[in-house]
Structure formats: structure tokens, C-alpha cells
Amino acid sequence: MRFQLLGPLALADGPDTVVLQPSKPANLLAALLLNANSTVSAGYLQRAVWGEEQPATAKAALQTCVLRLRRLFAKHGVTGTAIEAVPGGYRIVAGPPTLDLLAYRDQVRRATAMDRDPEAELYTLRDALSLWQGALLANVRSAVLHRDEVPRLAEERLRVVERVCDLLLGLGRCGEALVDLWTATRVYPGHERFHEQLIEALYRSGRQSQALAEYRRVKDFLREELGVDPSPSLRRLELSILRGEELGPVGQAALAAPAPGQAAPVVSASAEAVGSGSASGAVVGSGSASGAVVSRVVRGETVPQPDAEPPGSEPAPAPASGPDPAPGPNSATIPTPVTVPPGAATGAPSAAGACAPPADAGIGPVPGVPHFTGRAAEAEAMAARLTAPPPTGPADHRALAVVVSGAPGIGKSALAQHVARQVGDAFPAGRLLVRMTRADGEPRTAGEVSAALADALGATGEGRALLILDDVVDADQVRPLLTPGGPPGTGPGLAVVVTSRMGLGGLIATHGGWVQRLTAFTEAESYGLLLAALGAERVEAEPEAAHRLTAVCGHFPAALRILTARLLTRPGLRLADAVDWLGDDPLARLTLTDSPGHSVTGLFDRALDRLDPRLSQAFTHLAQGPPELLADGGPEHEGPVPEAVREQLADAGLLEDGPPGPYRIHGLLRAHVRRTARIRDRRTEKV
């Protein structure tokens, strides 16, 4: 059992969470936990519970609140944590395992000691931030705590978010930094350091016009809302962008900055990199973000800035700095295409730092798949299909070779990429991977992909080329790419592989092709993946535990990949111990804390978000109900779910098999839906 302060005040035991209803005892518990292991005076506790105007019986009522909390602890089996009466007040004893606030601060302290290892520091800080679960103390109705404690805790989190973004910029991972910074700048519009990081990340990613637009937006906000100009470091950054200057490496400033929790201020990376001058405007102190801006005194001459965007400011995206990776034996010879818009400025950040540019619609060479195992029959059949002579037909018709479909996380992209690497000799013009969805999950339009393909295919050599259209949302998204009028430079020699969660039967009907539908691994394939990823020595030392681990993962490829990644970071962990650890809460532990997007729950959530709301509701009903719901008749008291609905869910990869056999839901997916419903409908507890 543990207490949660970083969000609604709650008691948690594994996946089960009890959120406390607003009450006087809840106010008291929050005040004690915020000062855990310290004596809190009775006077302060009374103000926290009742406010500045307290009833005459406040002292006796405080004792009653303590008694009610002790009963609550006993009811929920809270052990090792007690409210102690001490001279002058009360104290609650807790530690990092039992209080998320202490766990968070412990992680931040550990990160401080990792300043020589940016990757480790980033991993630890992200692990700490994952403990925040929503609006701070949203169910605690204490004006004193929200006035005195909540701003201080919010500032602690902001300093860590700043540091994380500095580390991401320093490591050249601007795309990841942008995800955090878009949110941070909108939630905290007066926090200039976040805006500076966002503008820098945009510019280093080759998005000069967006960086300038963001600068103008924050300048307008500061002048209209607070009556101040942007900080000197922000103004210098804008000037460098207008001039198309290189910012230089961010690593020296960002990675050498003191970690969160230290007294030294966090200094702007761009201020150090761009040139001389004070970076005082980037210092982040305590207190509210807006207050920090208002209290700043801008000294020196203000640099006049043009209000209109200069002509030709749209940059030409530049290749990432650093040497190209050495090609593997089957690597494509196609460079990542770079589209230069008409009239693009040549003075844009041609070497704008460590971040790779967005590089045009997610098109690039087909990467290798580490530790690829299993799927031997499927890979052999696909390779034979792809290397067969191209079919005869109209010169402007592109034959659809293979559709690889199946559930989210089943390994469609991995199989397509692995086979593409295997058959490289049959495609001397190279192989291209086209991401058909953006990083935020939104599908790309056929028009934008077609335009990007025209440039990419024009860069290929002579002969046949292979195209993988990855994560296609529906047939309409890809059909224009396979019909007359497609991108120039394509013809019958181009083989096309489509990966999709959908069955895409309509596409097969109109364009032909062959379908490879993937299901979960066999037990032997799952064991083989563990052998390939963890090494024979570790796995064969505990073969029974290895088989049990694969069973807990439901032989689901994505779950096995995440599991092996976690086990590789813990080389001393016995597989038998990992079975118990994973089995306690597999859904919560099948995630990578330094990369929250890599999780089984996130994978399933993104898949369910794509569903039509009515289908999503029907699937939730099926997953929460008994297996008989999937049958044609269904339980008498439930009634059947129409076969048309079940067929649509099967086509979306969420149901397995189907007529003439029975439908099934994978165990992990069923458990995820039930867990999500339980969390959504979690009960509240009166104290």
C-alpha cells in the first residue's frame, strides 16, 4: 500500500487505487504527507484543515480526524506508516516505497549524481516525472495547502521538465523535446525558458518559420499580458534565426547544467551557444513562472526586431550532423530525401545542430530489426512473392505485392522490414520505408505522401525498387498511390508492401495481391526471441522460468520486446524473480519508463482511439463480458453482439480468428480493457 500525493490524494495497492473524497481528514492527511517524517505543529494542521478562521473546538476535532485516518489505514491494510502524536503536533512516517512524493525526490537526487551520463540522467528524471498523475491535490479542499504547498511542488516539477528538455536538446533528440515543449508552453505561457527551448528545438529541426512564429507569439503575450519584452537570450536566439546562423552544439550548455534540485540556476543553452551577453533572462528561480518574468529587469539596449517575417524564411531541411551510419550487408542505397521548397532560403540552419530534420513525410531507408526471430514460414513466403517477376499489365499500374495485417504490436512492421532487408539483391534501386502515420498517430494524406515519394523515388538508382507503406489506416489512404496518376518515376517494376491493422479486403479486391495475417508467436518462437535478445547463457540457465515469462506475455511480440529490453537493463535479475515481478502487474510493467510510448497499454490505447466510438463501446462490452459474448447466440441475459460488429472488430485486428471458428480476444488486450474500465470507474472513499 502506498500514498499518492502527485495528483489526487489517494491510496494505491498495485493496480487498485482508492481516491479519497474531499473532507477534513483528507486535508489533514495531505498536510502530514507533504511534511512526511517531520513534526507538524497542531496550529499549522488546524489552519490546513479549517483555514484561517477555525472553530472553537478545532483542537479536539483535530484529534478526531487523526482517529478517523488511523481507522482508514487499518481498513485498507496500511502497514509501516503511522500517524504519531509528538510534543507540539503530529508526524507521519513514510519512505519512497510508500509515498510517491518521496520517491520522486529520491529519483531527482539520484539524477543529480548522474550529470556525467546524460542518458542515465534523462532516464532517471523521466522515471521521476512518470509519478505525477494529474492535477495536484485536486480532491483536497484546503486553501492553505493550495496557497503554500502546491505552487512549491509545481515549481519542483517545472525544474525537472526544463532539465529533461535540456538533456533531449543536448542529445540531439529534438522531436522528443518538442512533444513536451508544445504542452509546457501552452500550460505555462509566461515561462520564458520553455519558449526558448521550443524555439531552439524547432530551429534545430529545420523549421525556421515555425520557430520565428513561436517567438512572435511569446513576444506578443509578454507585452500584452505582462508589459515586458522577451529576455535577452530569447532576443539573441531570434536574431540568430533571422540570420540563419548555426547555433552550435547544445551539449556543452545543456548537459553541463546543474541537475534539478541544486541551488544553481538553469542557464539557457542557446544563450551560451549563440554568442556573448548575459543569460540572466533564462535563470529559473522559485515561485510562479509569471512572477519570475515580471520580477526580471531587462537592462541594456533592446534590439529592435522586425514585425514581418522576412521573405524566403522557409528553411531547406538539412541533414543531421555527424557521419552516416555504416551500411549493413543489405542496407538500401537510397539517401533520406530532402525536399527544398521553391524560394527556400539557403541561409537556413544548414548544420543547425544535433537534431535530424523532419526530413519529409517520414520516408527513408528500411532499417534492420534487431534480434528478429520466428515467422520463418511467413518470411519465406513473402520473400518468394516479392522476388517473383513483376506481373504484366498496364505500364502505369503498380501491383500490390503483399498486405501484412494483424493486431497492434503483433510484429507487422518488423516482418516487412526484415524481409525487405533479406531480398535486397532483387531491388537494386533500393528499398524505402514510408510511415503512413505521423508521430502523433494522425494519418498522412495520400497527396502529401505522393509528393514526397516523387522526390524519393527520383533519387533511386536504375532497376526495381521496393516500397513499404507502413501502418496504413484504411484502403482510401493508399489506393491513390497504387493507381494511374501516382508519383512520377514509378512503374510496374516497383513492388509494394502494405502493413496495416486493418484487413484491407477492399484493396485486395481492386488491386490484387497476397495477404499475410499475423497472430501471436508460438511458444517456440517466443522462447527463440528470449534466446536471441538475452543470450543463450542467461536463458538456458533458467529454461522453465523463460517459458513462464513468455506465457505471462501471452506470446505477444510487442510485450516480449519490451520485456527483453527491461531485462537487458537488469542483467543481474534472475528470470525466476522476473516472473514474479512481472506477474504481479504485467500491464503496468510492460513499459519502458524512459520511453513511455513503448508500452503495451499505450499501444492498445492508440489502437482503440482509432476506432469509431460505437465500435469502441462494443469492444469494451465484449472484453469485459464472458467469452460467450463472442459467440453467435451470446448469453441469454446479454443477447448477441451482431456479427457485422464482430467482423469489423476482427478486421481492425482486435478480435482473432472468426467464422467459421470462434472469435477470441488476446488475454493482454482483454486485461487492458478491464483495467482501464476499473481505473475510469474507480470508487471514491469517504474518510
Side-chain angles (χ1 to χ4, degrees), residues 525-557:
E525 287 175 326
S526 298
Y527 188 80
L529 177 57
L530 261 61
L531 281 173
L534 302 179
E537 181 179 355
R538 186 175 182 185
V539 174
E540 291 177 351
E542 301 179 81
E544 182 182 350
H547 281 293
R548 289 168 59 198
L549 277 174
T550 63
V552 173
C553 291
H555 306 293
F556 197 70

Side-chain angles (χ1 to χ4, degrees), residues 17-293:
T17 303
V18 175
V19 178
L20 303 184
Q21 286 188 352
S23 64
K24 298 296 189 291
N27 293 356
L28 172 61
L29 179 59
L32 289 170
L33 291 173
L34 286 166
N35 299 276
N37 304 314
S38 300
T39 298
V40 187
S41 69
Y44 179 79
L45 291 175
Q46 289 169 201
R47 290 196 302 276
V49 173
W50 286 280
E52 301 299 341
E53 297 182 5
Q54 303 162 27
T57 59
K59 185 175 181 179
L62 184 65
Q63 296 173 347
T64 302
C65 289
V66 171
L67 179 61
R68 290 170 63 184
L69 287 176
R70 288 171 175 163
R71 288 174 179 168
L72 177 71
F73 292 177
K75 175 182 176 181
H76 290 285
V78 177
T79 58
T81 302
I83 299 176
E84 302 173 348
V86 295
Y90 292 89
R91 177 178 61 201
I92 193 168
V93 179
T98 56
L99 178 58
D100 60 356
L101 176 60
L102 297 182
Y104 169 76
R105 289 173 173 166
D106 184 60
Q107 288 280 76
V108 173
R109 279 193 296 270
R110 288 177 52 230
T112 303
M114 300 175 181
D115 56 343
R116 296 180 182 273
D117 187 348
E119 287 281 4
E121 183 183 355
L122 177 63
Y123 178 95
T124 306
L125 290 177
R126 280 224 159 134
D127 202 23
L129 288 173
S130 69
L131 295 173
W132 290 73
Q133 299 295 321
L136 203 61
L137 300 181
N139 56 333
V140 174
R141 307 291 169 76
S142 169
V144 171
L145 295 182
H146 282 277
R147 180 194 66 201
D148 299 342
E149 300 290 346
V150 169
R152 177 171 58 86
L153 290 179
E155 187 65 25
E156 284 188 44
R157 181 179 178 278
L158 289 181
R159 288 178 65 83
V160 171
V161 173
E162 271 185 37
R163 180 60 178 162
V164 164
C165 294
D166 270 335
L167 289 167
L168 288 171
L169 289 173
L171 292 168
R173 290 153 64 174
C174 293
E176 292 179 54
L178 284 171
V179 174
D180 295 329
L181 289 167
W182 282 121
T183 301
T185 53
R186 273 50 183 172
V187 175
Y188 303 99
H191 198 302
E192 285 185 85
R193 178 61 186 139
F194 284 148
H195 289 285
E196 186 176 349
Q197 290 172 317
L198 175 60
I199 294 167
E200 186 174 339
L202 288 168
Y203 184 55
R204 290 183 181 277
S205 299
R207 295 154 72 172
Q208 182 188 37
S209 59
Q210 282 185 267
L212 290 170
E214 184 63 23
Y215 175 84
R216 287 194 295 271
R217 199 187 72 81
V218 67
K219 180 175 72 173
D220 291 343
F221 172 83
L222 293 172
R223 287 180 174 175
E224 293 173 9
E225 299 295 328
L226 305 176
V228 298
D229 287 324
S231 65
S233 59
L234 261 176
R235 297 201 303 271
R236 282 193 300 272
L237 180 57
E238 186 220 15
L239 194 58
S240 294
I241 295 172
L242 290 170
R243 292 170 175 170
E245 297 174 348
E246 296 182 17
L247 297 186
V250 295
Q252 299 302 315
L255 302 187
Q262 292 180 323
V266 178
V267 180
S268 162
S270 60
E272 183 173 327
V274 170
S276 60
S278 166
S280 60
V283 175
V284 179
S286 59
S288 69
S290 296
V293 175

Side-chain angles (χ1 to χ4, degrees), residues 405-430:
S405 62
I410 207 68
K412 303 178 292 294
S413 300
L415 176 62
Q417 292 169 29
H418 174 71
V419 173
R421 303 272 292 191
Q422 280 189 319
V423 299
D425 292 342
F427 298 96

Side-chain angles (χ1 to χ4, degrees), residues 18 34 305 374 442 447 504:
V18 175
L34 286 166
Q305 305 296 341
E442 287 297 311
L504 302 183

